[in-house]
Amino acid sequence: IIPIGIAPLLLRMFFDFRVSLFSFIILVLMVALFASNPLEFILVQLSAISFATLYQSSSTKRSRMLGTAALVFIGYSVIYMAISLAQNGSLSGIQTENFGWFAINGLLCTMVFPLIYVVEKVFGFISETTLLELSDSNQPLLKELAVKAPGTFQHSMQVANLAEKVASKIGGNAVLLRTAAMYHDIGKMNEPQFFIENQLPENNPHDDLEPEESALIIIGHVSLGIEKAREHNLPIDVIQFIRTHHGTSTVRFFLKKARERDPEIDPLRFTYPGPRPNTKEQAILMMADSVEAASRSLKQYDRKTLDGLVDRIVDFQRSEGQFEEAPITFRDITEAKAVLKAALKGIFHQRISYD
């Protein structure tokens, strides 16, 4: 009746399947020391709960927890009957009351649902389930972004798709990455008209500002995004993406414009405060964000142009040292560029003229 399976199910919500299963094996071996039939206890627990944990590893909805509880009951029951049959040669030795204990055990495993919330609040962890809920475009903050800065919202969705594809290829937490990409530019909501994706043709308010003023507004969307995220209690893991998605790069357009007036201008006035990305996922977001934004400024979208754009942007970021603090290899960067090139070609594919 003791829901030992609750441990690996809970761990799986915050870590991968291997961590949860290894921890569960250690737990079962320790508890087996106090069981009347250690071998039978180990076989029943490992067989039933391993399948349930594997099933839960592909969970995308909290309602799937009920299915996991049912699988716990079925797993216990089937393994118990198999062991009884092997020991006695028939099913006559089965004690039917044990199925009631198995059912209670399965129901108690559903306590993982409230425990996830408790662990998140007490220890600051964030589960995949919560990330999936946050990435829903019906979330209030994302709906506000879609209304106030529709161009930025569309940009964020495209960045999320690109980043998720890269993470699937080179590894990384794709769920965290997609969620963070949806929120990385929420700081643009305060003054959306100053960001090109929200501007109408021939209506650029930067024309009336000095380069230093324009750069200050552009750079400020990072700090404003962090404030907005904290106001809405977004997880710290997501906030870190907002903080690092530009690293210590410069607003090159306005820096170049300022140098035309004053070659001795201080470049620090046009530099994002950082820090640089320190995880593979943050590095992926930086690449996807810059590539998607730059792709909108191209005059033609053929294979050569798109390939050159991705190579130029990612190689420049690498030369600036933006990826030096992230655990990402040269091979990862090369594969990431290949994925980005293929994805952009899919977005800007040729269409048939209906004229």
Side-chain angles (χ1 to χ4, degrees), residues 211-244:
E212 294 85 348
E213 295 176 306
S214 295
L216 187 64
I217 294 174
I218 299 298
I219 293 172
H221 86 273
V222 172
S223 57
L224 291 173
I226 294 172
E227 293 177 9
K228 181 75 71 173
R230 287 173 174 168
E231 289 175 6
H232 287 77
N233 297 316
L234 290 184
I236 185 65
D237 289 350
V238 174
I239 294 177
Q240 285 299 101
F241 282 85
I242 301 175
R243 193 189 306 274
T244 62

Side-chain angles (χ1 to χ4, degrees), residues 62-75:
R62 293 187 190 267
S63 59
R64 189 155 190 160
M65 191 58 65
L66 296 176
T68 303
L71 192 59
V72 169
F73 168 72
I74 295 173

Side-chain angles (χ1 to χ4, degrees), residues 156-201:
S156 298
M157 292 184 65
Q158 290 288 4
V159 171
N161 291 332
L162 291 174
E164 189 175 30
K165 290 179 180 178
V166 174
S168 299
K169 177 64 176 180
I170 69 174
N173 190 334
V175 180
L176 172 62
L177 189 51
R178 181 174 185 82
T179 303
M182 295 295 292
Y183 290 92
H184 79 282
D185 270 344
I186 56 175
K188 294 181 178 180
M189 280 193 289
N190 288 40
E191 295 179 300
Q193 71 277 11
F194 286 98
F195 299 90
I196 192 169
E197 66 266 25
N198 301 307
Q199 295 172 3
L200 296 174

Side-chain angles (χ1 to χ4, degrees), residues 7-186:
L9 293 175
L10 183 62
L11 286 171
R12 178 59 194 91
M13 301 308 297
F14 301 100
F15 304 100
D16 61 21
F17 176 73
R18 292 172 297 177
V19 172
S20 61
L21 184 59
F22 179 78
S23 303
F24 180 60
I25 291 174
I26 300 300
L27 175 62
V28 168
L29 291 177
M30 291 190 297
V31 177
L33 296 174
F34 306 96
S36 58
N37 192 334
L39 180 60
E40 181 178 346
F41 176 81
I42 292 173
L43 288 175
V44 170
Q45 294 291 343
L46 290 181
S47 301
I49 301 302
S50 295
F51 285 114
T53 307
L54 183 61
Y55 174 82
Q56 184 62 26
S57 68
S58 60
S59 173
T60 57
K61 297 180 180 179
R62 293 187 190 267
S63 59
R64 189 155 190 160
M65 191 58 65
L66 296 176
T68 303
L71 192 59
V72 169
F73 168 72
I74 295 173
Y76 276 142
S77 301
V78 171
I79 300 301
Y80 172 65
M81 288 189 295
I83 291 176
S84 298
L85 183 61
Q87 290 176 339
N88 305 318
S90 67
L91 298 177
S92 59
I94 292 178
Q95 300 179 17
T96 55
E97 62 270 17
N98 284 340
F99 294 106
W101 303 131
F102 295 152
I104 295 174
N105 190 305
L107 290 174
L108 289 177
C109 282
T110 61
M111 290 298 294
V112 168
F113 174 74
L115 281 176
I116 291 172
Y117 180 80
V118 172
V119 171
E120 287 180 333
K121 296 302 180 182
V122 174
F123 299 102
F125 290 161
I126 181 170
S127 68
E128 289 186 2
T129 306
T130 298
L131 288 172
L132 287 166
E133 291 178 349
L134 287 174
S135 64
D136 186 354
S137 58
N138 288 318
Q139 287 289 331
L141 189 54
L142 292 180
K143 290 176 71 174
E144 183 182 357
L145 177 64
V147 172
K148 292 184 177 180
T152 299
F153 178 74
Q154 293 299 323
H155 161 71
S156 298
M157 292 184 65
Q158 290 288 4
V159 171
N161 291 332
L162 291 174
E164 189 175 30
K165 290 179 180 178
V166 174
S168 299
K169 177 64 176 180
I170 69 174
N173 190 334
V175 180
L176 172 62
L177 189 51
R178 181 174 185 82
T179 303
M182 295 295 292
Y183 290 92
H184 79 282
D185 270 344
I186 56 175

Side-chain angles (χ1 to χ4, degrees), residues 197-211:
E197 66 266 25
N198 301 307
Q199 295 172 3
L200 296 174
E202 301 179 358
N203 183 25
N204 191 342
H206 289 289
D207 294 338
D208 301 323
L209 299 177
E210 294 295 322

